[in-house]
């Protein structure tokens, strides 16, 4: 309506619905709508999961940021690297991941040494 009135904002936080197929992998549910049209409606969605591959591809394609801790297996690392190569080359992404997870070990060694 070309108004200068601010659009109300809403944040939805979804914590680990990986075991709910009807929520995570249905093309006709509210979660899919949030990730496809949410930004046009003033809606943000934070999604947490213990397994990247358990998250629907619609959500993964619309991520604005990821917080990644040490991944449990090589397949999860490969999925992460396959999702992000448009941002950086795969080799750089892998180096960033290794630096992030190795940094924790170095901090622990530093704390134990002091």
């Amino acid at each position: 309506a070309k108004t200068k009135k601010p659009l109300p904002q809403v944040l939805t936080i979804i914590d680990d619905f990986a075991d709910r197929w009807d929520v995570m992998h249905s093309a006709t549910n509210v979660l899919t709508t949030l990730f496809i049209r949410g930004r046009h409606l003033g809606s943000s969605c934070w999604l947490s999961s213990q397994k990247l591959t358990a998250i629907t591809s619609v959500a993964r394609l619309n991520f604005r940021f990821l917080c990644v801790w040490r991944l449990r297996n090589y397949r999860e690392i490969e999925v992460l690297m396959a999702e992000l190569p448009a941002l950086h080359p795969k080799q750089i992404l892998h180096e960033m991941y290794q630096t992030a997870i190795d940094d924790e070990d170095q901090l622990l060694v530093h704390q134990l040494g002091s």
Side-chain angles (χ1 to χ4, degrees):
K2 296 197 182 211
T3 179
K4 292 184 180 184
K5 183 178 175 183
L7 180 66
Q9 301 290 307
V10 65
L11 171 63
T12 306
I13 300 174
I14 301 169
D15 183 27
D16 209 4
F17 268 52
D19 61 338
R20 292 282 310 270
W21 185 262
D22 59 324
V23 173
M24 282 300 204
H25 295 282
S26 172
T28 60
N29 64 25
V30 174
L31 183 62
T32 303
T33 302
L34 276 174
F35 278 104
I36 293 174
R37 297 185 340 170
R39 67 179 180 269
H40 302 295
L41 304 172
S43 174
S44 297
C45 184
W46 290 2
L47 177 62
S48 72
S49 180
Q50 294 182 19
K51 189 171 183 183
L52 184 61
T53 54
I55 299 171
T56 180
S57 60
V58 171
R60 292 194 323 255
L61 290 172
N62 287 286
F63 282 160
R64 295 278 302 200
F65 68 90
L66 293 171
C67 297
V68 179
W69 283 259
R70 184 181 306 271
L71 297 172
R72 296 178 180 201
N73 59 51
Y74 188 73
R75 170 133 165 70
E76 288 285 311
I77 295 169
E78 284 300 308
V79 170
L80 180 66
M81 298 303 139
E83 295 287 330
L84 302 174
L87 301 174
H88 299 289
K90 204 172 188 179
Q91 180 181 356
I92 299 295
L93 290 170
H94 193 70
E95 289 173 14
M96 290 168 62
Y97 172 74
Q98 284 301 130
T99 300
I101 62 171
D102 291 344
D103 188 45
E104 181 181 313
D105 296 337
Q106 292 171 6
L107 179 62
L108 180 61
V109 169
H110 177 71
Q111 289 175 344
L112 291 175
S114 11

